[in-house]
Amino acid sequence: MKAEKLFLLINEIDDRLISDAERTDYSPVEIEYVSRRSPIKEIIAFAACAAVLIIGVFTVVKLRIGGIDTPSDSGSRLEYSCSDDMSDSSETSENIPVIDEEFPDVTQIKLPAGSFEEKLRYIMLRAATVEALESGIAEADTDGLVSEVSVTKKTDKTEYFKTGEPVTEGAIKDDMFVTVTLVDGVRFRYHVGYVFESSEQSVYDFGREFNEQLEKLAREAETLGGFKAAVAEYDEYKWTDEIHLYQNRDDFEKGIELTDDNTVLEKGMCFYIILQSGNVKAVFEI
Amino acid sequence: MDDNAIVRLFWERSETALSELSKKYGGYFISVAERILYNHEDAKECINDAYLKTWNAIPPARPNVLKAFVGKIVKCVAVSMLRANTAAKRGGSEIALIYDELEECISDTRSVENEFENKQIIEKINEFLWRCSELHRRAFVLRYWHCESVSAIAERLDVPENKVSVSLYRTRRRLKEYLAKEGFEL
């Protein structure tokens, strides 16, 4: 029986994981993805340009301008309408209007086809009114995964994600925020007409990709100072908060740190790097 | 008595080692075995077999985490007994539910037979779990290693049962994706 085999494989996991699970000091912490993007004006201007271009061309399958992915079926939310049939299989995760020239890899989430999350995104992107949004989500959420749905007006032009006055009925317009929170704290947010994001997926994908790059830089660097310089050059958006180096994992666990930038990096040394204000942590050995 | 002292007794071949082990963790081992076998008498028999195997394993082994070391033996013995125990398989036991849930992590294309590959998969599972958030990681291990019920996990972590169920669902799905990405399909 394959399930039994997997059960026996899981039986052999790291002893530390087994002990860790039984700790008594758990306190739920919600991971919140905090975007550090440029002022909204630039994005709005860029979005407007893209919309004009797309409307002028009339038919666009996949337009890429300066790193911007534009949907194959449309380039503007104006062309979306709230459909009674929310399960149109022709729509895939490739067809979402993501406009994010600064962090395409970070914010362009990839959701598995046919998943509840993908259906959720489909509804959020197309709902023209608050009523349509709520009824669409209520119909799709057969397992009770959604804990909160909200639509809010954007009030502060300098803070991209700051939400304002709730909108409880009527049309959902550009520049509003549609936010859906699941019972496990994962949050999906659509800045209407601009960006769709998931707190969970963006942090997860970001951490994985960034971690791989850090490991690569660590293998290439000769000294701690050299590694820090390489990270500084790569990390142009300043995601990295702290870099710590240890002689080995034992020292890491004991907190015995190597701090001299002239320290020559050797095989077996252990890096502990804190990213995104502690939301992502990378631990790896050279 | 602390774990190091108990391990030392095993190394000295002192039979007090087994009584001290039982005194400290016996209740826990019985509850794990019961969740798998769904029968108290079978669980007691399982523990006796597991203690014998532990006695034979230490030395040469010198476990860092004694509870986990013996717990793994207990579960292996319990799974062996389960194969012959049709009553537990008929349902009602926690393990029947756990097997059903774990089926979601498995593709129907092949089976895992290779010992070396098994070790690699275990490493990947470790990696994956350490990358998970604390809630996802602990809920997964409590469910699929400690065999705790969803309600017990929710109580332990002080979160709603629904949240635990969603967490387990997500983690199973991600584990399958992660293993597939790493080139392993169970």
Side-chain angles (χ1 to χ4, degrees):
Chain A
M1 184 195 292
K2 288 179 177 179
E4 179 189 294
K5 194 80 184 179
L6 179 57
F7 180 74
L8 290 173
L9 289 173
I10 291 170
N11 191 39
E12 299 302 321
I13 59 172
D14 190 339
D15 288 351
R16 290 174 300 164
L17 284 164
I18 298 162
S19 304
D20 170 74
E22 289 193 299
R23 282 191 356 246
T24 54
D25 59 346
Y26 174 69
S27 58
V29 177
E30 181 181 341
I31 294 177
E32 178 70 21
Y33 171 62
V34 182
S35 178
R36 304 180 189 183
R37 60 190 72 244
S38 63
I40 188 63
K41 283 181 182 175
E42 292 178 26
I43 296 177
I44 293 171
F46 199 89
C49 290
V52 168
L53 276 173
I54 292 160
I55 291 168
V57 172
F58 283 106
T59 172
V60 176
V61 176
K62 188 82 174 175
L63 184 61
R64 183 177 284 270
I65 304 172
I68 302 171
D69 286 337
T70 309
S72 60
D73 56 350
S74 74
S76 163
R77 187 188 169 277
L78 295 175
E79 294 184 22
Y80 286 116
S81 62
C82 184
S83 166
D84 291 333
D85 178 13
M86 293 297 186
S87 59
D88 182 355
S89 59
S90 67
E91 289 293 335
T92 70
S93 56
E94 297 299 314
N95 297 337
I96 58 168
V98 174
I99 299 176
D100 185 1
E101 69 272 37
E102 282 198 16
F103 308 105
D105 293 333
V106 174
T107 58
Q108 185 161 340
I109 62 173
K110 303 167 187 71
L111 299 175
S115 65
F116 173 73
E117 293 90 334
E118 189 186 41
K119 190 182 289 186
L120 196 61
R121 177 171 60 188
Y122 186 92
I123 295 166
M124 291 170 71
L125 288 175
R126 284 154 184 77
T129 64
V130 176
E131 292 80 357
L133 174 75
E134 290 177 344
S135 65
I137 289 175
E139 187 179 338
D141 185 26
T142 52
D143 293 326
L145 299 176
V146 174
S147 71
E148 188 181 354
V149 178
S150 72
V151 179
T152 47
K153 291 179 181 172
K154 192 171 83 68
T155 54
D156 187 338
K157 292 181 179 177
T158 63
E159 291 291 331
Y160 189 73
F161 276 129
K162 192 168 278 186
T163 54
E165 184 185 342
V167 180
T168 56
E169 59 181 2
I172 297 174
K173 299 173 182 171
D174 279 6
D175 234 10
M176 287 181 178
F177 289 100
V178 177
T179 307
V180 176
T181 308
L182 304 188
V183 289
D184 63 352
V186 172
R187 182 175 295 168
F188 296 86
R189 183 153 24 199
Y190 178 36
H191 183 189
V192 180
Y194 302 110
V195 176
F196 184 95
E197 291 190 321
S198 154
S199 60
E200 181 199 45
Q201 198 73 25
S202 54
V203 170
Y204 181 76
D205 286 347
F206 166 82
R208 191 168 57 189
E209 290 164 15
F210 207 96
N211 196 346
E212 285 170 1
Q213 183 61 25
L214 291 177
E215 288 190 40
K216 180 171 176 285
L217 293 176
R219 286 195 299 272
E220 292 170 353
E222 291 184 4
T223 64
L224 174 59
F227 173 71
K228 286 178 177 174
V231 171
E233 186 178 348
Y234 167 69
D235 183 19
E236 57 185 313
Y237 299 115
K238 311 297 179 197
W239 297 110
T240 309
D241 296 318
E242 297 175 29
I243 296 175
H244 303 278
L245 177 66
Y246 303 87
Q247 188 66 46
N248 48 47
R249 251 189 200 272
D250 282 347
D251 281 3
F252 164 57
E253 287 171 5
K254 292 172 189 168
I256 305 170
E257 186 177 353
L258 299 169
T259 54
D260 187 345
D261 281 351
N262 294 319
T263 303
V264 176
L265 299 182
E266 297 170 358
K267 189 173 173 59
M269 284 182 169
C270 182
F271 271 107
Y272 176 62
I273 299 172
I274 299 174
L275 311 166
Q276 283 195 308
S277 304
N279 280 334
V280 180
K281 291 166 186 167
V283 182
F284 59 87
E285 291 170 37
I286 304 172
Chain B
M1 186 178 283
D2 72 23
D3 286 3
N4 287 335
I6 297 175
V7 171
R8 200 159 45 240
L9 289 173
F10 273 103
W11 273 78
E12 291 166 359
R13 309 312 289 160
S14 166
E15 290 185 11
T16 319
L18 289 172
S19 58
E20 290 296 334
L21 177 69
S22 182
K23 194 190 302 180
K24 188 167 186 182
Y25 296 123
Y28 169 77
F29 296 145
I30 282 280
S31 67
V32 168
E34 275 185 338
R35 283 177 215 142
I36 295 172
L37 295 165
Y38 205 51
N39 180 299
H40 185 67
E41 292 307 313
D42 287 349
K44 284 204 305 192
E45 187 185 332
C46 165
I47 298 305
N48 286 336
D49 285 357
Y51 283 171
L52 178 61
K53 287 180 186 292
T54 304
W55 179 258
N56 292 331
I58 310 174
R62 194 182 286 278
N64 291 322
V65 184
L66 184 61
K67 185 180 177 183
F69 181 86
V70 184
K72 289 174 181 177
I73 295 175
V74 168
K75 287 169 65 192
C76 283
V77 173
V79 168
S80 298
M81 290 177 68
L82 181 68
R83 289 192 192 118
N85 184 343
T86 51
K89 281 181 184 171
R90 272 200 297 270
S93 69
E94 203 64 44
I95 194 68
L97 296 172
I98 286 173
Y99 279 179
D100 281 348
E101 291 168 17
L102 288 177
E103 289 285 354
E104 293 174 21
C105 300
I106 292 167
S107 72
D108 53 8
T109 54
R110 62 185 292 273
S111 62
V112 179
E113 301 293 346
N114 183 297
E115 186 65 24
F116 176 70
E117 190 172 292
N118 284 352
K119 285 183 179 171
Q120 288 184 309
I121 293 172
I122 293 163
E123 281 305 306
K124 292 300 170 191
I125 294 173
N126 284 334
E127 271 179 33
F128 168 80
L129 289 173
W130 282 120
R131 284 169 182 252
C132 289
S133 71
E134 184 178 351
L135 171 68
H136 292 333
R137 180 176 69 244
R138 293 183 64 189
F140 187 90
V141 176
L142 288 169
R143 179 66 177 154
Y144 302 116
W145 199 94
H146 294 275
C147 303
E148 290 192 3
S149 67
V150 170
S151 58
I153 296 168
E155 189 175 343
R156 182 195 283 273
L157 299 180
D158 195 23
V159 294
E161 277 188 39
N162 194 15
K163 187 166 184 171
V164 173
S165 297
V166 172
S167 167
L168 291 172
Y169 166 75
R170 287 177 178 281
T171 311
R172 289 196 302 271
R173 196 184 65 194
R174 281 190 188 157
L175 174 61
K176 184 177 182 181
E177 290 168 359
Y178 185 78
L179 291 177
K181 178 175 169 287
E182 296 293 332
F184 298 105
E185 287 201 350
L186 300 177

